[in-house]
Amino acid sequence: MQLKISSLSKTYPNGVQALKNVSLTISNGLFGLLGPNGAGKSSLMRTIATLQEAGSGSIFLDDLNVLEKKEDVRKILGYLPQEFGVYTNVSAEELLTHIAILKGISDSRQRSELVKSLLVQTNLYDARKKKLGGYSGGMKQRFGIAQALIGNPKIIIVDEPTAGLDPTERNRFLNLLSEISEQVIVILSTHIVEDVKELCSQMAIINKGEVLFAGHPMEAIKMVQGKIYTAFASKTEAKEIAAQYKVVSQKFNTGKIELHVWSDEKLNHTFTETETGLEDVYFSVINGLVKNSSEFSVYNS
Ligand code: ADP
């Protein structure tokens, strides 16, 4: 399966242009859509999920016209929205059974087998009788995936699912997505760089409604390799560095300010060459240091 988004734009009635000419081609596997808050991720997710109209452009899932054949798309789509509210007073098993009935799985044996296998897959089987109100954040998100998987979707969309999860829960959740994505398209939107780093086979960086990079995470890292230098500085020194160099990012680290700067030429004394991470790519792109650079291959399909 292939999802092909071409020149998608969206302006809300209040004049905010949330998507600007977005073009992406997404195949089976885990696709990470990375961008800061307000970048347009949810607008794109909701449009693919047929929950809101596009302004212009097209989306095709193989031959299926997503923007026109909404009912057909919904049959093969699983969606976990950003604000996933659950009924608090029912158990996971009860609610999954209920959703399965709503989705037309009428044979009770088939339904109970499906519910069981989803609970096992999402590691919730032991907690199946527990009321959802007593679930932790991570358990709720895994339940969200279990419900999204009912009906054997070909494409699964999860919008900012890891915000608020502790590291163990986050890893467990991302591993679950990675497993699922062996057979289907899974689109994961996130503002957390680590979410994309290890498991996504494809990614895009989006900011202010525009796709600034699309490709493989390793490919992205290679493109900034050898260009990023680190300095540890006091506040005053940091200001001086910022005035002279292209700062990619800065953060506090053990009482000093750790600055990453971009340089095409080799830097010495104050600086050390840094092993480049996806975070450097992300901040270089978001801060406009490499925007429209030929060093980046932006899909124009
Ligand atoms: P993200 O998911 O990356 O945080 P969104 O798609 O939610 O980004 O938002 C992109 C931009 O569109 C933001 O400026 C946001 O305020 C605006 N926006 C989102 N939804 C609406 C809406 N229903 N009406 C008006 N503006 C909206």
Side-chain angles (χ1 to χ4, degrees), residues 10 43 61 66 71 83 91 93 108 113 116 124 126 135 144 186 191 202 204 223 276:
K10 170 77 181 177
S43 299
L61 194 56
V66 172
E71 285 304 317
E83 305 286 333
S91 71
E93 191 173 48
S108 68
E113 270 168 24
K116 186 179 171 195
L124 290 172
D126 291 345
Y135 270 25
V186 179
H191 64 272
Q202 316 155 70
M223 288 166 195
T276 329

Side-chain angles (χ1 to χ4, degrees), residues 12-14 16 18 35-44 46 82 159-160:
Y12 287 111
N14 64 358
V16 173
N37 288 332
K41 302 183 296 297
S42 290
S43 299
L44 181 58
R46 288 196 301 261
Q82 198 169 359
D159 198 358
E160 299 257 5

Side-chain angles (χ1 to χ4, degrees), residues 13 19 24 88 96 98 103 109 122 131 133 141 171 199 203 212 220 227 231 236 244 250-251 287 299:
L19 297 173
L24 286 168
T88 51
L96 280 181
H98 179 66
K103 289 210 179 171
R109 227 184 73 194
T122 53
K131 300 258 186 284
Q141 291 301 64
N171 275 344
L199 295 172
M203 68 171 284
L212 301 178
K227 310 267 189 196
T236 323
Q244 278 184 58
Q250 46 181 311
K251 63 181 174 197
N287 291 333
Y299 285 173

